[in-house]
Amino acid sequence: MDRPSVRRWAVAVIVSGAVAWFGMYMHNIADLPGQDLLSVETSLPTLITFVLVVLWFVRAIRRAVTWALLVWAWISLIGGIISVLPLGILPFEPAQTPMHYAFHTLYAATQVPLIVVTSRWLRDARRDPQPEAATDAVDQ
């Protein structure tokens, strides 16, 4: 990957990670009673997303971290969908209202950019025998 490409990937990972986090944050703050940034339901996913995005910049583990980001986004997307299904094992707090469904739609939709970016990075890295070689100039 050439130097401008590496910079574009870095911006794409940061922005898509932020969008994914923002969707989760908006869902939790708006739709779950009594939530704030320090609530476990918000702070733990915030920490996971932040740490994974930061670790993406560690060249030696970038491929593994990209996989972790991809899995994290899929877990969020699938969890956002499954948690509104009328399954007897799930609690229905808050009430299953159109507003609740709208926030789950927002939450799920904001995971898509991170899924796309990480999937494309992994695809491009597979095509390039040394995808990290060009990053040396950027990392210095």
Side-chain angles (χ1 to χ4, degrees):
M1 292 182 190
D2 61 355
R3 190 174 184 173
S5 175
V6 172
R7 286 192 177 144
R8 280 193 299 269
W9 281 120
V11 170
V13 168
I14 292 169
V15 170
S16 63
V19 167
W21 171 82
F22 184 72
M24 176 277 307
Y25 178 73
M26 288 303 297
H27 165 267
N28 288 3
I29 297 302
D31 204 33
L32 298 177
Q35 297 297 304
D36 60 25
L37 190 56
L38 299 177
S39 302
V40 173
E41 294 87 349
T42 304
S43 61
L44 186 59
T46 298
L47 180 64
I48 291 169
T49 303
F50 179 77
V51 167
L52 288 174
V53 169
V54 168
L55 287 176
W56 187 87
F57 288 90
V58 179
R59 190 172 49 101
I61 60 171
R62 186 169 292 153
R63 188 178 306 263
V65 172
T66 305
W67 275 107
L69 279 166
L70 178 60
V71 168
W72 180 243
W74 273 111
I75 288 170
S76 297
L77 175 77
I78 292 167
I81 293 169
I82 288 177
S83 63
V84 294
L85 295 177
L87 302 173
I89 60 170
L90 297 175
F92 285 100
E93 288 243 353
Q96 305 297 298
T97 64
M99 181 69 82
H100 179 75
Y101 291 128
F103 278 107
H104 274 261
T105 301
L106 170 72
Y107 182 25
T110 58
Q111 304 311 304
V112 173
L114 187 57
I115 290 169
V116 170
V117 166
T118 54
S119 296
R120 286 186 176 171
W121 187 91
L122 288 165
R123 180 198 63 204
D124 287 358
R126 194 175 339 119
R127 289 181 186 167
D128 188 342
Q130 294 185 351
E132 308 304 328
T135 8
D136 289 335
V138 175
D139 290 341
Q140 294 176 356

